[in-house]
């Protein structure tokens, strides 16, 4: 017997109208007829649940990484994703200029004759934007996934907002004064901060197949 009868029986695809419809209208049917069924398709017809899914921490840091890609900062793109105790995303943000203050008008440079001519006086940090974008009444008990360790100003915001845990990816300014002050406040407030498990390099691209 040819692949037309053996493979579909194994997959149960002919018993499932949805799968059959997909097969019929997709390139897989011709592949199927030639006995070249892709392995991904056999998974989609299986009765067994997938095991190769993103861990929730990777998912939330992945969302933060995706948000970071929206940032126009030429040197450091930062993303943040706030998650409540039910593991629902309640706020996402990235670093950018304040609303209505043109991206093209304010400076993006790191240093200049005066701090007024640098980005630092203007950029809203990812954490601030994630907090401001929240879609829940409050953020008490939430965890923030952030691609860069929060600065002292952001840590103040996180503490006041009731965030209970920080998970970060990069700590590239670990020895900077702002980060030292940040850790000091988080420690005093009893908010743990942990590095994330290594994030799959292509965690964001993976979705596009
Ligand atoms: O917690 C943070 N959140 C955040 O959004 N940022 C932003 C501010 C700047 O746009 C950028 C840091 O720029 P730079 O690495 O060039 O100093 O990252 C920076 C930090 C920590 O410094």
């Amino acid at each position: 017997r040819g692949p037309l009868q053996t493979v579909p029986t194994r997959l149960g695809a002919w018993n499932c109208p949805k799968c059959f419809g997909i097969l019929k209208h997709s390139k897989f049917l011709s592949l199927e007829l030639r006995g070249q069924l892709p392995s991904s398709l056999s998974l989609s017809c299986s009765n067994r649940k997938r095991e190769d899914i993103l861990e929730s921490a990777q998912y939330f840091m992945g969302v933060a990484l995706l948000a970071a890609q929206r940032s126009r900062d030429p040197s450091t793109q930062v993303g943040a994703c706030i998650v409540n105790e039910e593991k629902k995303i309640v706020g996402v943000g990235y670093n950018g200029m304040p609303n209505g203050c043109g991206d093209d008008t304010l400076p993006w440079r790191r240093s200049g004759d005066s701090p007024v001519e640098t980005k630092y006086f203007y950029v809203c940090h990812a954490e601030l934007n994630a907090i401001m974008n929240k879609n829940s009444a409050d953020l008490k008990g939430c965890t923030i996934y952030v691609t860069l360790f929060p600065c002292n100003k952001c840590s103040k915001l996180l503490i006041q907002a009731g965030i209970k845990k920080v998970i970060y990816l990069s700590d590239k300014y670990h020895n900077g004064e702002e980060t030292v002050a940040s850790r000091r406040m988080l420690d005093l407030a009893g908010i743990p901060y942990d590095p994330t498990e290594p994030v799959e390099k292509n965690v964001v691209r993976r979705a596009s197949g």
Side-chain angles (χ1 to χ4, degrees):
R1 302 230 166 183
L4 184 62
Q5 286 166 336
T6 54
V7 178
T9 306
R10 175 167 60 80
L11 300 174
W14 297 152
N15 299 331
C16 167
K18 208 166 151 201
C19 290
F20 181 71
I22 293 167
L23 283 171
K24 211 169 114 189
H25 295 291
S26 77
K27 60 184 179 182
F28 293 129
L29 185 60
S30 57
L31 290 173
E32 163 75 16
L33 291 169
R34 284 185 269 131
Q36 298 168 4
L37 193 71
S39 58
S40 59
L41 185 66
S42 66
L43 274 176
S44 74
C45 295
S46 162
N47 189 37
R48 257 182 304 158
K49 68 173 185 182
R50 291 192 81 119
E51 299 296 344
D52 60 337
I53 62 161
L54 280 181
E55 293 294 323
S56 57
Q58 295 243 327
Y59 166 52
F60 297 133
M61 191 57 85
V63 170
L65 282 164
L66 190 62
Q69 289 187 31
R70 289 279 303 149
S71 172
R72 295 201 185 269
D73 190 312
S75 65
T76 306
Q77 294 175 297
V78 184
C81 173
I82 302 177
V83 177
N84 71 12
E85 286 165 314
E86 293 170 3
K87 301 219 170 213
K88 303 241 164 63
I89 294 175
V90 291
V92 176
Y94 56 88
N95 51 329
M97 293 303 175
N99 293 340
C101 303
D103 285 342
D104 296 320
T105 312
L106 292 171
W108 283 108
R109 66 178 73 84
R110 306 181 81 223
S111 58
D113 292 341
S114 152
V116 179
E117 291 311 320
T118 73
K119 64 183 173 183
Y120 297 107
F121 271 29
Y122 309 103
V123 171
C124 296
H125 285 200
E127 300 90 324
L128 169 96
N129 282 331
I131 290 172
M132 297 308 292
N133 291 341
K134 72 177 190 293
N135 60 13
S136 68
D138 69 58
L139 300 177
K140 291 198 173 59
C142 289
T143 296
I144 187 163
Y145 292 77
V146 60
T147 60
L148 179 61
F149 197 96
C151 71
N152 59 322
K153 292 195 192 88
C154 289
S155 281
K156 285 190 253 186
L157 288 173
L158 300 178
I159 292 166
Q160 298 303 75
I163 298 279
K164 71 146 205 291
K165 190 171 183 182
V166 175
I167 311 279
Y168 62 92
L169 185 61
S170 164
D171 192 16
K172 65 176 178 173
Y173 296 128
H174 183 87
N175 296 320
E177 289 169 342
E178 292 188 349
T179 315
V180 171
S182 181
R183 283 196 299 272
R184 188 176 187 175
M185 284 186 282
L186 293 172
D187 286 340
L188 286 169
I191 298 176
Y193 42 87
D194 295 320
T196 185
E197 296 290 309
V199 174
E200 217 182 286
K201 244 190 171 162
N202 61 350
V203 70
V204 174
R205 291 226 185 97
R206 193 170 112 156
S208 58

